[in-house]
Amino acid sequence: MKTTYIKYICAMCAICGLTACSDFLEEQVPQATLTQDEVKKPEYIDNVLISAYAGLLSIEDMNSSFSLWNYDTRSDDAYVGGADFSDGEPFHILELHTTVMTKDWPYNDIWQRFYKFLSRVSLSLDMLNEADQSNATIQQRTAEMKFLRAYGHFQLKRLFKKIPFVNKLNMTEDDYNNMSNTEYTNDEGWQQIINDLEDAYAVLPVTQSEKGRPTKAAAAAFLAKVYLYKAYHQDNANNNQVTSINEADLQKVVDYTNPSIYAAAGYGLESDMHNNFRPEEQYENGKESIWAIQYSKNDGTTWGNLNFSNRLIVPCIPKVHDSGCDFYKPSINLVNAYRTNADGLPLVATAATKDYEVGSAQTVDPRLFVTVGLPGTPYMFNTNYMMSKTNTWSRSGGKYGYFVSLKQNVDPATINEYIFNADNQWASSMNRVVFRYADVLLMRAEALAQQNKTAEAIALVNQVRERAKAMAANSVVSNYPNKYGVHFAINSYKGTYDKDAAMEIVKTERRLELAMESERFFDLVRWGDAATVINKFYTSESEKMSFLKGARFTADKNEYLPIPWEQLSASNGHYTQNCGEW
């Protein structure tokens, strides 16, 4: 990374765990040579706030990635993978949705880690509140911390639905011990996150000199996303059904995806989608990256602030990545979703009826090959690592297939440059893009489609598809037809579509564009489609992948994780379990 990113090095805070109900929070005890009064000054305040930013890297874990990839394996996009069922067993159980238990350790782990992160943000906001509120730097840093607080709450709410909100200043131990996860209705919970983001949006600058600090456009993109979740109301406490779609919330999505917001800071689509997933400095923080987690190398720490949360996804290539764990394996269903018809449009209804093979006459969308590594093509576009149906590309010996996710991995030729063997597991310095411009376009398209402005919605979908179409001639995979016998065919949608058809087009496009970016499962839940889509996936996919036999998604239960047993038992009766008879 360049020196203009914000360095996430936590040098100010010692962390101690609380007991009882407040186990999920950290007490932060500042330790520095600065006095309490000095640390509140604008020129010193970053010494405290940097701990909150550092938490984005140092608190997450390969089993509890803040990207939530571990939990996207519940969707039709990916399998858990690994060596076998015992390798990450609770995640394999969750993938099947059959015998999930409230005491399964991953759920309490991800809960605790996000609340540890929120505790750092909360400390920072307490300190900022005591500083000079008329100072522009203090105002901007407060906006940044509210953005981070929104991020922690947003990820937790997508996972658990009913969560306690750490959204008050100077909370005491009694405050923590009396927190409730039903203080707000579902709709009100989304509004708490929105309140923080609207405060941030009002103050954040159009651009930031230090990459990693959120901008006005980042707050707008985040607001659009939260309003889109809020729009699909799920306010019946007895189920997880979408009860209504709120027009006012949809209009807010349209407002916060206004192209002028993003044009002001120079955001737009990359010419090659793969540029969003490259570690080289010239590609990091590119025009499509609206806000990204800034991982780094060679920054004076033992391993640098590398991305350890994706280390399980690296394949196990002999004498190269010998300790790769091969998790987050793309599904057959996902690969088939990229098949196209004679008009260059997704097959959709018939996509799963025939499995795609490299070298076949079947036409496909070029985005397939920058999303999934397939046998017959080079891993990470390096011809020294040709993929095949061998154990090199499947640590399970084929049980979880031979496909590999490409968006989290980097070229093995860059070992010790961008990917490092850290404690016998692999970690890279590549940023993780949280909000990118293609997602903004598709969120706007979705809101417009729901408003029955279908022509406008399809035009936005076509912007994304035109980029994909151009990749056939100019991208890292543009030579694949000549070298590997693949056939690209992708075109824009033409004609007119009613609301239902336009929504299906948007949903399909979100899947194709954002696959393996940990969005699919959560999209299905907010649309109210999870049970139908996932059970259909189980039926067809289990005929090819036997480990899925017996899998069953239970509506009004499996949309969210259970509130962890450890949290319920320590809550003094203030927490309520999610619906579904856990």
Side-chain angles (χ1 to χ4, degrees):
M1 300 300 302
K2 298 178 181 178
T3 57
T4 52
Y5 67 89
I6 180 169
K7 295 182 178 179
Y8 298 158
I9 301 174
C10 178
M12 290 292 294
C13 296
I15 302 167
C16 303
L18 295 176
T19 58
C21 180
S22 50
D23 276 348
F24 66 90
L25 293 167
E26 291 179 312
E27 285 186 348
Q28 305 282 343
V29 183
Q31 296 179 348
T33 58
L34 298 173
T35 67
Q36 284 291 98
D37 289 333
E38 286 176 326
V39 81
K40 298 170 193 172
K41 294 180 179 179
E43 61 266 37
Y44 297 130
I45 196 71
D46 273 343
N47 290 323
V48 173
L49 307 192
I50 207 70
S51 172
Y53 278 106
L56 291 167
L57 283 70
S58 62
I59 296 176
E60 70 172 354
D61 177 72
M62 62 185 178
N63 292 304
S64 294
S65 172
F66 282 7
S67 74
L68 307 185
W69 72 258
N70 314 72
Y71 294 94
D72 190 44
T73 57
R74 294 175 287 176
S75 77
D76 52 350
D77 272 7
Y79 318 133
V80 172
D84 53 37
F85 190 83
S86 66
D87 192 11
E89 184 172 338
F91 292 106
H92 287 285
I93 292 172
L94 185 63
E95 179 178 30
L96 303 179
H97 289 113
T98 49
T99 56
V100 177
M101 305 293 288
T102 64
K103 289 186 178 181
D104 289 343
W105 64 264
Y107 317 142
N108 191 54
D109 191 70
I110 191 75
W111 176 288
Q112 287 183 318
R113 288 177 188 274
F114 269 119
Y115 279 108
K116 286 177 181 179
F117 167 68
L118 284 169
S119 74
R120 293 192 185 188
V121 177
S122 184
L123 169 68
S124 297
L125 285 166
D126 289 346
M127 295 294 292
L128 285 161
N129 188 56
E130 296 179 22
D132 179 5
Q133 299 301 297
S134 66
N135 182 273
T137 299
I138 296 300
Q139 292 172 4
Q140 182 174 317
R141 296 299 182 256
T142 300
E144 291 174 20
M145 291 301 105
K146 287 188 175 182
F147 181 98
L148 295 188
R149 183 165 69 180
Y151 180 68
H153 283 137
F154 177 71
Q155 296 293 67
L156 280 162
K157 187 158 178 55
R158 291 206 293 177
L159 285 171
F160 294 100
K161 191 176 186 178
K162 295 177 181 177
I163 62 167
F165 283 83
V166 186
N167 57 0
K168 299 175 180 65
L169 292 168
N170 302 308
M171 292 179 68
T172 66
E173 186 169 350
D174 282 343
D175 291 330
Y176 291 132
N177 286 333
N178 289 294
M179 290 175 68
S180 167
N181 70 337
T182 55
E183 179 181 0
Y184 305 104
T185 65
N186 188 57
D187 188 63
E188 290 168 347
W190 291 123
Q191 188 62 49
Q192 297 308 303
I193 300 170
I194 287 167
N195 292 344
D196 271 346
L197 290 172
E198 289 185 331
D199 287 349
Y201 178 78
V203 174
L204 287 172
V206 173
T207 61
Q208 293 269 24
S209 59
E210 293 180 299
K211 302 299 182 183
R213 294 190 189 275
T215 61
K216 186 174 290 291
F222 201 169
L223 276 163
K225 179 150 286 191
V226 183
Y227 268 116
L228 200 52
Y229 274 78
K230 182 174 179 288
Y232 295 84
H233 284 199
Q234 297 181 12
D235 273 331
N236 186 330
N238 298 316
N239 63 51
N240 296 323
Q241 301 298 307
V242 175
T243 54
S244 63
I245 301 176
N246 185 272
E247 172 62 32
D249 291 337
L250 292 174
Q251 186 55 46
K252 287 290 188 179
V253 178
V254 174
D255 294 344
Y256 283 115
T257 56
N258 188 308
S260 64
I261 297 172
Y262 304 91
Y267 294 114
L269 293 176
E270 293 276 2
S271 59
D272 182 350
M273 187 177 81
H274 178 56
N275 290 351
N276 293 295
F277 309 98
R278 299 188 66 160
E280 299 94 335
E281 287 80 2
Q282 66 266 35
Y283 296 106
E284 300 254 76
N285 301 303
K287 65 185 293 188
E288 195 167 338
S289 175
I290 297 171
W291 186 61
I293 308 300
Q294 306 289 308
Y295 298 97
S296 63
K297 59 177 182 172
N298 303 327
D299 56 12
T301 58
T302 302
W303 292 113
N305 283 290
L306 299 173
N307 183 352
F308 289 96
S309 74
N310 285 342
R311 64 198 305 181
L312 293 178
I313 304 174
V314 179
C316 188
I317 307 173
K319 299 182 180 179
V320 181
H321 293 156
D322 292 282
S323 55
C325 294
D326 199 32
F327 282 83
Y328 201 28
K329 303 283 281 183
S331 70
I332 296 172
N333 186 280
L334 174 63
V335 169
N336 289 338
Y338 288 93
R339 295 173 61 216
T340 57
N341 62 21
D343 295 323
L345 299 177
L347 288 170
V348 187
T350 60
T353 60
K354 184 177 180 180
D355 295 342
Y356 176 71
E357 294 275 353
V358 171
S360 72
Q362 174 65 58
T363 56
V364 289
D365 185 323
R367 288 174 291 185
L368 168 61
F369 297 100
V370 297
T371 303
V372 181
L374 289 86
T377 64
Y379 172 65
M380 297 312 303
F381 322 104
N382 186 331
T383 55
N384 291 320
Y385 306 101
M386 292 300 297
M387 294 187 61
S388 60
K389 292 184 178 181
T390 64
N391 289 353
T392 295
W393 306 104
S394 180
R395 188 163 157 252
S396 65
K399 181 176 183 179
Y400 304 120
Y402 297 94
F403 304 142
V404 174
S405 178
L406 298 181
K407 289 182 176 178
Q408 296 81 17
N409 284 309
V410 301
D411 185 352
T414 65
I415 288 176
N416 295 327
E417 184 179 7
Y418 296 112
I419 185 169
F420 303 84
N421 189 336
D423 295 330
N424 204 37
Q425 292 207 340
W426 297 92
S428 80
S429 59
M430 181 171 65
N431 285 355
R432 175 170 65 82
V433 180
V434 179
F435 300 113
R436 62 182 179 97
Y437 189 63
D439 193 4
V440 171
L441 292 175
L442 293 174
M443 288 191 291
R444 185 175 180 84
E446 182 175 338
L448 290 168
Q450 288 287 15
Q451 292 178 327
N452 206 27
K453 298 175 181 178
T454 59
E456 294 176 63
I458 297 302
L460 291 163
V461 169
N462 284 340
Q463 282 190 48
V464 178
R465 292 186 66 78
E466 284 298 317
R467 189 263 296 274
K469 182 178 179 179
M471 287 169 58
N474 185 23
S475 70
V476 291
V477 298
S478 57
N479 65 345
Y480 277 30
N482 289 332
K483 295 193 70 172
Y484 309 114
V486 305
H487 302 275
F488 293 147
I490 178 171
N491 283 302
S492 295
Y493 288 92
K494 299 175 176 63
T496 58
Y497 300 88
D498 63 19
K499 177 179 174 179
D500 289 343
M503 272 302 300
E504 287 306 310
I505 287 170
V506 171
K507 289 177 180 181
T508 298
E509 199 62 27
R510 281 193 66 82
R511 186 184 192 191
L512 299 175
E513 178 69 21
L514 302 173
M516 305 306 290
E517 295 179 45
S518 308
E519 291 293 314
R520 177 64 172 172
F521 179 81
F522 302 106
D523 279 348
L524 292 173
V525 170
R526 69 180 174 83
W527 292 326
D529 292 346
T532 299
V533 171
I534 294 172
N535 282 327
K536 182 178 179 181
F537 164 73
Y538 286 153
T539 298
S540 62
E541 200 85 350
S542 63
E543 295 177 1
K544 308 161 188 176
M545 308 302 286
S546 61
F547 72 92
L548 288 174
K549 290 187 182 299
R552 179 70 184 173
F553 186 101
T554 301
D556 300 324
K557 178 176 183 177
N558 294 133
E559 292 89 350
Y560 298 94
L561 298 177
I563 306 303
W565 178 86
E566 293 88 342
Q567 302 303 324
L568 279 172
S569 63
S571 72
N572 299 320
H574 295 300
Y575 287 1
T576 301
Q577 184 57 273
N578 283 324
C579 65
E581 299 182 0
W582 291 100

